[in-house]
Amino acid sequence: MRAFIASAIGVTCASALLLPLAAPAGAAPDTPAHSTATGSVPAEASEPAALPGSTQSLPLSPLSTAAARATGEPAAAAAGQGLSERDVHAFSLVGVVWDDVNAELHGTAQVRTRSAATGRWSGWQDLETHNAEHSADPGTPERESGAVRGSTAPLWVGASDGVEVRVNPEAPGTRDASATPVPLPAGLHLELVDPGKDPRELPATGAAGADRAAPQGATALPALSRSATDAAAGYAPAAKPYIGPRPRIITRKGWGADEKIRERAFAYTKTVKAAFVHHSATGNNYSCSQSASVLRGIYRYHVKSNGWRDIGYNFAVDKCGNIYEGRAGGVTKAVMGAHTLGFNTNTMGVVVLGTYSSSNPPSAAVNAVAKLTAWKLGLFKANPKGKVTLVSGGSNKYKKGRKVTLNVISGHRDGFATECPGARLYKKLGTARTSSAKLQGR
């Protein structure tokens, strides 16, 4: 079993639903290509286990004028690409990828899927096309590996066995009446992800020091009292550190992460000065019993389709308030993620599963963000209600090298010009900051 340095999390994986298909051109192979990284620490070999889930990668073809008219698209849609309605192997999460990670898809990407349970087709659903802001920082080994690709955000559609997709460039006149449509990125592929079966549920195990060394086989780190949290962090009983009590955290083993597909090494930064909150943009059509499956789907999409070393986020929260370990390396460690382009150094990324542009995030999810940040930021002496100065690694909002003052708990849009984490979730960050600071005893 893989052993983490100073913070070991037990890992196994579930049995495969389908044999994995060949990896798409440019995507990360079964053994990820990133061999070394600054600050990386090698991990031990994992125990043999069956690969759960699979990824189907289907190249898109030009849409004909006749096909465009049949679907009610304007003539300009003939410059688009897509796939006609077809049968496919079972999948539950879908996205579109392309060759150049630095290229943006200016236009629309829509899918419709057929339910494996009812045989009924859904209506057309939009994929969030601007996903470049979720990535490793420019110049890092992960970003420059040669395996990284551009992509839409993935969409959770539930168990499906049929799909149709259309990707169209931005219509003339959207920004400038005299402008021509921006060509679609090269190498468009549809990615269909089967997250595999849920891992066998095991009772949560662990002790006061479990945040430093989780017992092998632990599916969750149990919540700790304030005094137990302080003790686990190495503080004497008389000390009064501003650390919130550790919340229950479902480990990677608990949600069924397949440790074979990620890079074997871990990458760390010096500290954790801030937390960036995201929404996954995967939609809200999931039950909390499906949260682990959604997370496994995102993980496989990030690694096999995007070509990243691991899932991009450090932690995930579902709409029922469950907290999940994200990128491997140790939940108490300053693990470098790939969540906020330009600001992955000395920060953590927390994603709330769902889309919160026009839907309010459940209070359980906001409370979970507060609990998680009170604990994790507290370990690094960060005040959730405070400000912090970070140096941009380069984004569409702040040039590389610029010093930026941000809230310690910020939304993704604070570091990058993006809609993420959705207007409704963004409005709740003030509540999360206040609650987090209170849990720290401030």
Side-chain angles (χ1 to χ4, degrees), residues 229-297:
T229 299
D230 292 348
Y235 287 96
K240 294 183 179 180
Y242 292 115
I243 304 175
R246 189 187 72 192
R248 179 176 182 269
I249 301 172
I250 298 170
T251 65
R252 289 171 64 91
K253 176 182 173 65
W255 55 264
D258 175 17
E259 304 297 349
K260 283 186 174 181
I261 69 172
R262 67 168 172 84
E263 183 176 334
R264 294 166 62 90
F266 309 128
Y268 298 99
T269 58
K270 292 182 179 180
T271 186
V272 178
K273 295 181 178 180
F276 283 97
V277 179
H278 306 253
H279 68 172
S280 63
T282 47
N284 301 321
N285 295 323
Y286 73 94
S287 65
C288 290
S289 64
Q290 295 176 313
S291 296
S293 294
V294 175
L295 199 54
R296 288 197 308 280

Side-chain angles (χ1 to χ4, degrees), residues 15-399:
S15 299
L17 276 180
L18 296 171
L19 291 176
L21 303 183
D30 286 349
T31 301
H34 317 292
S35 58
T36 59
T38 302
S40 296
V41 179
E44 295 179 5
S46 63
E47 63 182 7
L51 180 66
S54 64
T55 301
Q56 302 169 70
S57 185
L58 307 175
L60 303 191
S61 302
L63 291 171
S64 67
T65 303
R69 289 173 179 168
T71 56
E73 294 296 302
Q81 297 184 34
L83 288 176
S84 59
E85 182 180 303
R86 65 185 59 199
D87 298 335
V88 292
H89 293 299
F91 71 98
S92 295
L93 182 137
V94 58
V96 172
V97 301
W98 51 90
D99 293 342
D100 185 358
V101 66
N102 296 310
E104 290 190 20
L105 196 166
H106 294 283
T108 60
Q110 297 178 308
V111 297
R112 56 189 296 262
T113 57
R114 185 180 63 205
S115 168
T118 66
R120 295 176 181 174
W121 284 88
S122 72
W124 287 101
Q125 300 185 77
D126 292 325
L127 299 176
E128 185 177 293
T129 57
H130 300 291
N131 200 38
E133 64 266 26
H134 301 83
S135 186
D137 288 346
T140 60
E142 183 172 8
R143 178 84 173 192
E144 307 302 328
S145 68
V148 181
R149 299 201 291 177
S151 72
T152 67
L155 179 69
W156 178 261
V157 294
S160 305
D161 58 12
V163 69
E164 183 176 9
V165 61
R166 60 192 187 195
V167 181
N168 290 320
E170 191 172 51
T174 302
R175 291 176 297 178
D176 183 347
S178 63
T180 57
V182 177
L184 294 175
L188 289 172
H189 277 69
L190 179 68
E191 302 286 287
L192 304 175
V193 179
D194 166 23
K197 293 180 180 178
D198 284 319
R200 182 183 303 174
E201 290 196 10
L202 300 173
T205 58
D211 55 355
R212 288 176 175 248
Q216 291 188 353
T219 58
L221 302 180
L224 297 181
S225 66
R226 181 66 180 271
S227 59
T229 299
D230 292 348
Y235 287 96
K240 294 183 179 180
Y242 292 115
I243 304 175
R246 189 187 72 192
R248 179 176 182 269
I249 301 172
I250 298 170
T251 65
R252 289 171 64 91
K253 176 182 173 65
W255 55 264
D258 175 17
E259 304 297 349
K260 283 186 174 181
I261 69 172
R262 67 168 172 84
E263 183 176 334
R264 294 166 62 90
F266 309 128
Y268 298 99
T269 58
K270 292 182 179 180
T271 186
V272 178
K273 295 181 178 180
F276 283 97
V277 179
H278 306 253
H279 68 172
S280 63
T282 47
N284 301 321
N285 295 323
Y286 73 94
S287 65
C288 290
S289 64
Q290 295 176 313
S291 296
S293 294
V294 175
L295 199 54
R296 288 197 308 280
I298 295 172
Y299 170 46
R300 174 169 277 274
Y301 188 75
H302 282 181
V303 176
K304 305 298 287 184
S305 301
N306 289 118
W308 300 352
R309 64 187 301 158
D310 195 348
I311 191 170
Y313 310 108
N314 297 104
F315 294 93
V317 171
D318 69 20
K319 57 188 177 183
C320 289
N322 297 303
I323 300 172
Y324 302 82
E325 176 189 13
R327 179 162 286 206
V331 294
T332 63
K333 297 289 186 178
V335 178
M336 177 178 275
H339 49 84
T340 306
L341 185 66
F343 292 95
N344 289 304
T345 298
N346 297 332
T347 68
M348 60 185 276
V350 182
V351 63
V352 181
L353 301 180
T355 303
Y356 300 105
S357 302
S358 56
S359 298
N360 289 321
S363 57
V366 178
N367 290 338
V369 170
K371 292 176 182 178
L372 173 62
T373 52
W375 168 71
K376 184 62 183 278
L377 291 174
L379 294 179
F380 293 88
K381 300 180 181 180
N383 181 351
K385 290 200 300 184
K387 301 281 187 178
V388 63
T389 299
L390 302 174
V391 179
S392 173
S395 74
N396 69 350
K397 192 170 184 177
Y398 299 108
K399 292 182 178 180

